[in-house]
Amino acid sequence: MTSIDVASAGPLPRKTEFRQCQYTGLKVDIAAQTLIKVNAVAAVVFLAIGGLFGLLVALTRWPAVHLLSSEMFYLVLTAHGADVLVFWIVFFEVAVLYFASAVLLNCRLAAPKLAWVAFVLMVVGALVANVAVLQGESSVMFTSYPPLMAKPHFYLGLIVFAVGALLAVALFFATLVIAKDEKTYEGSIPLVTFGALTAAIIAVFTLASGAIILIPTFLWSVGLIGNIDPLMYKAIWWGFGHSSQQINVAAHISIWYMIGALLVGAKPLSEKVSRTAFLMYILFLQLASAHHLLAEPGMSSEWKILNTSYMMYLAVMASMIHGLTVPGAIEAAQRRNGYTHGAFEWLRKAPWGNPAFSGMFLSLILFGFLGGISGVTLGTEQLNVLMHNTIYVPGHFHATVVAGTTLAFMAATYIVLPLIFQREVILPGLARWQPYLFGIGAAGISLFMMGAGTLGVSRRHWDITFSDASISFQHSASAFLMMGLNGISALIATLGGVLFVVIVVGTVLFGQKVGPGHKLTFPLHAAGPEAVTHHGAEEAPKLTGTAILVAVFFICFVLYYFVNWKYLADLWLFR
Amino acid sequence: MSVTSPQSRVWWKEPVEKVELIWVVVAFAWGIFMFVFMVAWHFIGRQNLSNETYRVAPSAFEKKAEDFAKKYQAREEDGVPVVKPPAGADVYLLGRTFQWWPILELEKGQSYRIHLSSLDLQHGFSLQPTNINIQVHPGLEHIITLTPTADGTFGIICNEYCGLGHHTMTGKIYVTQKKVAEGGAVATAAAKIGEAK
């Protein structure tokens, strides 16, 4: 650790300024606080830009509107992918990492100057990649499969961004070491920090995979390498492309636990089970990236089945565990708070008017029911042939990344604003509605894209009427209806997204400063700080409601899984 | 407040609640079931993607496809050959920006060895409205034994982004009724194709 300290502040450790949070009692390193702020602001800027591109994509794919020209459509779609799937998410995750290490552990952040270097690298990388795409000759989609080639600075931007992110992740690890060294906490790190740690470990693997494949691809684009094997590219690229979404999962599940703890005082049902579930992500998620190659020639069935069953199903199991333990912890806490009637009083009387809670719970439900079930179905060797590269695929990952991760990050923002920015959330009336608008919109986008994909509509496709094609093809009327409904859902989600950006920017700039003794509009639970920073399980909780919820989930899962096998059995025969 | 002592330092020794334990077991068993079902489908199911793949130079594949088209060409549609291979034959279908080539005419209930490859970029073979979707790579010849189970006209669209003309990339497969005897059935099949056109 000394070496990093030396790099940032000379031979003496830097003088750290702390403030004490009046709501949680936590010691907050001012330097960490500033870095959380700048990363969160950068995240929201890229969410706004990428979200706008997303709206343009949805309006073009709405057959009745068909907004953009084909060239602009493919350009904007590439930018949409990079801005929201990578830049928004990773900037926010860096903020989460600094928060879960320095703030939750009462510790100083390791080498804040290096953290600034990381931030600058990430901003520069993101800008360079955006410029490359907007210049128009890098419309290769976010996946940039060779032999399709982008301009060199497209790859370079992504690489610089990844280097910055990797540095930020290293500082998270360094902060954990400092906290342990300086004994700023006792025993084990809290569950939320543990979840963030798994996200960070996955991030190392992910960013390394990105570098391993994007550096040669960059060299190929400048002419130094003759050929990039398309299949090898895919196998390694998805170690980056899919694993980056596993960082999201680990991060947003940590946020679910954090919000449950802070708002209703939820403690994990069992530290052992929840932590093991996080650990399973590290062990199995990366290999599950193989499910992107199920419809590929050149890979054996054994390879496909091993990677998507042993590996993926153990990761799926981990998610199913969190799917019980998160609502279970909330139920147990709410019952302790006095809501003990029937199976669901605890849920009815939950703080639904607090956007942090409603956003978190909607994220949990939508991620599980829409994203999780569709993901497993999509990741089944044979069933994949039904949906590979149809718009079902974006339908699935909008359920996980938009309805799941983005909504959870939005929910967390409603806590970050008063506690870290120390500003009272403006327009609380509208803020109460924001997660519902965004959640319903995102759910609609996911469902209708999955519907259209089941009917055969292709993803990344400008014209489903095939008006310029030499051989015509006509999709069914219901496919067109689905794409129209997708457009309408995108408008609703956009409304929720715009509202979010307005509230965040407005709060940061004009929100009432949170002074001593200020009563928060969206208050924390009295037992929240203790629940989020300590470990120790809930004792003998009664969990009728949660048991019913997971039973319903499981029935939906099994039914949907078999419906798809029925679809498959009706196809032409192939072997 | 700062951080006070944890309630239980040895969290790994705390008991696990029953409902949690049941759920862990259910989730694990379901995972095992899904694994077994995927393997079982290779034996009980009739839709399994073939693993037969060879490396091939795009130019060599193009030559094979052209020879194939010349050998079995039945007619032409807008300059694209309509190729009618006999049942069981090796059939070549190539993808290139922005076309699936040639147009095929198959018989319902007969099996064909379809060789799929690309001459340039990656493409997505998407048979519609049947909804069979297979990735197609340049340099890899993927052989799939395909048996149409319905007759009619089917579209092939490209569902892997392959450049600015991606949405214009289509192809076609006609499936005719199986010949019952020489004469009658063939005439009906031909009439059907006439209608489709």
Side-chain angles (χ1 to χ4, degrees):
Chain A
M1 260 19 288
T2 0
S3 64
I4 285 177
D5 282 336
V6 168
S8 65
L12 292 170
R14 82 186 156 95
K15 202 162 161 286
T16 313
E17 266 184 84
F18 286 100
R19 71 173 174 89
Q20 184 157 33
C21 175
Q22 59 172 323
Y23 302 102
T24 60
L26 289 164
K27 254 167 72 189
V28 182
D29 173 4
I30 302 295
Q33 175 174 299
T34 312
L35 280 153
I36 292 170
K37 284 184 189 174
V38 293
N39 279 285
V41 167
V44 171
V45 168
F46 282 103
L47 175 69
I49 298 170
L52 176 67
F53 287 144
L55 176 67
L56 296 176
V57 169
L59 289 180
T60 306
R61 296 223 57 174
W62 186 345
V65 182
H66 211 227
L67 185 67
L68 300 177
S69 68
S70 62
E71 269 183 54
M72 275 307 282
F73 170 74
Y74 292 123
L75 182 154
V76 162
L77 183 51
T78 306
H80 171 60
D83 282 333
V84 278
L85 205 53
V86 183
F87 304 144
W88 141 247
I89 297 279
V90 177
F91 272 115
F92 199 91
E93 275 160 358
V94 169
V96 169
L97 288 183
Y98 292 159
F99 177 83
S101 57
V103 177
L104 285 185
L105 297 179
N106 288 283
C107 182
R108 64 189 172 88
L109 185 73
K113 279 182 190 160
L114 280 182
W116 278 102
V117 172
F119 177 72
V120 170
L121 283 174
M122 286 168 69
V123 170
V124 169
L127 289 178
V128 168
N130 264 287
V131 167
V133 173
L134 294 176
Q135 282 172 334
E137 282 175 90
S138 299
S139 299
V140 293
M141 301 295 124
F142 166 60
T143 45
S144 56
Y145 290 151
L148 211 56
M149 193 194 279
K151 289 282 161 197
H153 54 307
F154 172 75
Y155 306 109
L156 196 61
L158 291 177
I159 293 166
V160 170
F161 181 84
V163 170
L166 207 50
L167 183 56
V169 172
L171 293 177
F172 167 78
F173 292 130
T175 306
L176 291 191
V177 174
I178 293 176
K180 184 142 189 83
D181 243 27
E182 298 181 356
K183 298 194 173 53
T184 62
Y185 65 97
E186 285 179 52
S188 312
I189 53 175
L191 182 62
V192 174
T193 309
F194 188 86
L197 174 62
T198 59
I201 292 172
I202 297 170
V204 173
F205 172 92
T206 301
L207 296 166
S209 300
I212 288 170
I213 198 61
L214 286 174
I215 290 170
T217 308
F218 164 70
L219 295 175
W220 168 68
S221 73
V222 295
L224 290 173
I225 289 181
N227 176 46
I228 297 281
D229 183 81
L231 196 55
M232 178 209 62
Y233 175 91
K234 259 183 151 165
I236 303 175
W237 192 88
W238 280 111
F240 161 73
H242 200 89
S243 305
S244 63
Q245 306 317 310
Q246 322 299 6
I247 312 173
N248 301 349
V249 174
H252 80 227
I253 290 176
S254 306
I255 284 174
W256 293 348
Y257 280 112
M258 179 188 83
I259 291 178
L262 285 176
L263 295 190
V264 299
K267 283 190 290 184
L269 297 179
S270 151
E271 290 277 357
K272 183 163 50 183
V273 171
S274 295
R275 283 172 199 246
T276 309
F278 273 123
L279 198 64
M280 286 166 85
Y281 284 150
I282 299 179
L283 298 177
F284 302 110
L285 274 175
Q286 334 306 44
L287 299 158
S289 304
H291 68 261
H292 286 269
L293 289 90
L294 293 177
E296 228 74 14
M299 300 296 193
S300 71
S301 291
E302 290 82 356
W303 183 86
K304 289 172 181 174
I305 289 178
L306 176 87
N307 284 294
T308 55
S309 56
Y310 280 119
M311 306 312 173
M312 193 164 98
Y313 294 160
L314 286 168
V316 166
M317 185 180 148
S319 286
M320 286 172 77
I321 291 172
H322 292 302
L324 174 128
T325 58
V326 173
I330 290 172
E331 176 172 5
Q334 282 287 81
R335 284 182 185 276
R336 217 179 330 106
N337 294 340
Y339 304 111
T340 52
H341 288 290
F344 286 111
E345 194 196 17
W346 63 274
L347 192 57
R348 276 201 316 277
K349 301 269 173 76
W352 290 104
N354 184 333
F357 183 84
S358 59
M360 171 263 150
F361 212 87
L362 283 174
S363 158
L364 167 73
I365 297 286
L366 297 175
F367 178 80
F369 278 85
L370 299 184
I373 294 177
S374 64
V376 172
T377 308
L378 196 54
T380 303
E381 192 208 0
Q382 293 92 344
L383 297 180
N384 186 262
V385 172
L386 275 172
M387 304 115 169
H388 173 71
N389 267 358
T390 66
I391 201 163
Y392 187 99
V393 177
H396 154 70
F397 70 70
H398 279 72
T400 57
V401 182
V402 184
T405 306
T406 300
L407 197 49
F409 286 4
M410 284 175 170
T413 306
Y414 289 109
I415 291 179
V416 168
L417 288 175
L419 296 192
I420 297 293
F421 284 86
Q422 295 173 279
R423 298 271 188 171
E424 187 57 270
V425 175
I426 63 159
L427 308 173
L430 286 173
R432 264 180 242 281
W433 286 101
Q434 188 275 328
Y436 294 99
L437 268 178
F438 190 78
I440 290 168
I445 290 171
S446 312
L447 275 174
F448 296 124
M449 281 203 277
M450 285 191 237
T454 306
L455 296 166
V457 175
S458 166
R459 71 186 290 197
R460 299 171 165 175
H461 201 282
W462 178 68
D463 179 18
I464 63 169
T465 64
F466 303 95
S467 51
D468 297 337
S470 54
I471 299 173
S472 65
F473 178 74
Q474 184 73 44
H475 274 299
S476 64
S478 31
F480 281 83
L481 176 68
M482 291 286 175
M483 294 311 290
L485 291 171
N486 173 52
I488 293 169
S489 305
L491 287 178
I492 299 173
T494 304
L495 203 59
V498 168
L499 210 50
F500 176 74
V501 173
V502 167
I503 290 169
V504 172
V505 173
T507 300
V508 170
L509 296 178
F510 313 111
Q512 185 199 342
K513 285 215 168 84
V514 171
H518 174 87
K519 254 178 88 85
L520 293 176
T521 314
F522 299 116
L524 304 184
H525 190 273
E530 198 187 333
V532 77
T533 49
H534 298 170
H535 43 79
E538 193 71 54
E539 272 159 43
K542 188 177 168 234
L543 299 171
T544 333
T546 303
I548 295 173
L549 279 181
V550 296
V552 170
F553 169 80
F554 190 65
I555 292 166
C556 292
F557 194 163
V558 173
L559 286 178
Y560 186 73
Y561 180 74
F562 281 111
V563 162
N564 279 283
W565 282 104
K566 174 74 181 83
Y567 284 150
L568 182 77
D570 290 340
L571 293 189
W572 292 12
L573 317 182
F574 53 92
R575 62 191 150 80
Chain B
M1 186 190 319
S2 179
V3 173
T4 51
S5 308
Q7 293 154 302
S8 162
R9 277 191 87 109
V10 281
W11 49 265
W12 56 89
K13 281 193 182 160
E14 288 168 343
V16 176
E17 292 301 328
K18 203 167 129 202
V19 60
E20 233 180 336
L21 210 56
I22 294 172
W23 184 239
V24 169
V25 171
V26 167
F28 184 73
W30 176 235
I32 295 285
F33 174 83
M34 290 192 294
F35 158 66
V36 170
F37 202 78
M38 208 154 44
V39 175
W41 193 262
H42 278 272
F43 300 97
I44 61 170
R46 299 202 290 173
Q47 288 85 6
N48 284 292
L49 194 57
S50 145
N51 294 319
E52 192 177 350
T53 307
Y54 304 96
R55 289 221 176 260
V56 66
S59 56
F61 189 80
E62 185 177 24
K63 172 94 174 45
K64 287 199 259 187
E66 277 169 0
D67 292 347
F68 156 76
K70 211 174 282 170
K71 193 168 170 191
Y72 299 119
Q73 180 165 349
R75 55 183 190 280
E76 217 177 67
E77 263 178 43
D78 301 326
V80 182
V82 180
V83 184
K84 191 175 181 184
D90 283 287
V91 173
Y92 292 82
L93 183 69
L94 64 84
R96 62 185 160 206
T97 48
F98 299 102
Q99 184 185 40
W100 291 106
W101 189 94
I103 296 174
L104 301 174
E105 187 174 316
L106 310 176
E107 262 180 32
K108 183 181 161 184
Q110 298 290 356
S111 300
Y112 300 86
R113 275 169 62 81
I114 311 273
H115 298 238
L116 271 176
S117 192
S118 159
L119 299 190
D120 36 50
L121 302 170
Q122 290 187 45
H123 296 290
F125 170 90
S126 178
L127 185 71
Q128 297 299 339
T130 312
N131 216 3
I132 295 175
N133 305 284
I134 301 166
Q135 189 77 16
V136 179
H137 282 256
L140 294 178
E141 182 173 348
H142 191 188
I143 305 176
I144 296 141
T145 304
L146 192 67
T147 314
T149 55
D151 56 335
T153 307
F154 296 86
I156 310 171
I157 60 184
C158 175
N159 70 7
E160 181 57 74
Y161 174 72
C162 56
L164 295 178
H166 164 54
H167 49 274
T168 66
M169 180 167 173
T170 49
K172 194 162 20 180
I173 298 182
Y174 292 111
V175 180
T176 59
Q177 285 286 354
K178 195 173 169 181
K179 281 183 241 177
V180 182
E182 289 300 317
V186 178
T188 1
K192 250 201 150 99
I193 294 166
E195 274 167 43
K197 275 180 85 178

